[in-house]
């Protein structure tokens, strides 16, 4: 999986998410190493993907505040495999968290237009 570093130094990769009807939607997301969960998506994408709501949980935000975040479950394509993962609904751009990166090697050339590479670690 490959991506690019933006002019504002966001590391972005693109992956596919699966709707309930089997269609796929391409999503570009920022890698957020300070986010320990799997993935966040905005409401519009959650509705388009029809990811079912499974509950909510309190999350500690970067500013130290606590916010109740709704939790969905959905399937994405990751390292050429379908993975069922928890997805947090947030009012922000899509974010990839560290839990999604477990078992992966992350390489980022931290310069504008730098290369981002996520590869599976050997078993």
């Amino acid at each position: 999986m490959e991506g690019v570093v933006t002019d504002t130094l966001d590391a972005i990769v693109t992956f596919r998410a699966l709707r309930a009807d089997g269609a796929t939607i391409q999503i570009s997301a920022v890698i957020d190493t300070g986010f320990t969960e799997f993935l966040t998506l905005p409401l519009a994408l959650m509705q388009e993907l029809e990811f079912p709501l499974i509950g909510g949980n309190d999350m500690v935000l970067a500013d130290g505040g606590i916010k109740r975040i709704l939790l969905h479950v959905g399937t994405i394509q990751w390292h050429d495999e379908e993975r069922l993962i928890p997805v947090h609904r947030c009012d922000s751009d899509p974010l990839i968290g560290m839990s999604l990166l477990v078992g992966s090697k992350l390489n980022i050339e931290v310069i504008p237009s730098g290369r981002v590479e996520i590869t599976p670690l050997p078993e």
Side-chain angles (χ1 to χ4, degrees):
M1 182 176 305
E2 293 183 1
V4 67
V5 175
T6 67
D7 289 341
T8 57
L9 301 181
D10 287 325
I12 296 180
V13 295
T14 302
F15 63 93
R16 295 199 165 276
L18 281 71
R19 290 184 2 176
D21 65 5
T24 62
I25 295 174
Q26 188 167 300
I27 297 172
S28 293
V30 174
I31 297 171
D32 184 350
T33 60
F35 176 50
T36 59
E37 298 296 329
F38 286 82
L39 180 66
T40 68
L41 294 176
L43 175 60
L45 268 175
M46 290 289 201
Q47 290 172 331
E48 186 177 356
L49 289 164
E50 302 173 350
F51 284 177
L53 179 67
I54 59 171
N57 61 347
D58 293 334
M59 292 186 69
V60 179
L61 304 178
D63 67 2
I66 296 176
K67 183 175 182 181
R68 182 96 176 143
I69 304 291
L70 294 177
L71 185 62
H72 296 250
V73 65
T75 302
I76 66 167
Q77 291 178 344
W78 192 259
H79 296 315
D80 297 324
E81 295 180 0
E82 290 184 6
R83 289 185 61 187
L84 184 66
I85 62 166
V87 182
H88 289 83
R89 185 167 74 192
C90 292
D91 298 327
S92 68
D93 292 331
L95 298 174
I96 293 172
M98 293 301 287
S99 290
L100 188 53
L101 294 170
V102 168
S104 301
K105 178 182 178 182
L106 173 62
N107 186 38
I108 303 173
E109 295 173 348
V110 186
I111 56 171
S113 301
R115 186 175 173 166
V116 179
E117 201 172 39
I118 303 171
T119 55
L121 290 171
E123 304 248 348

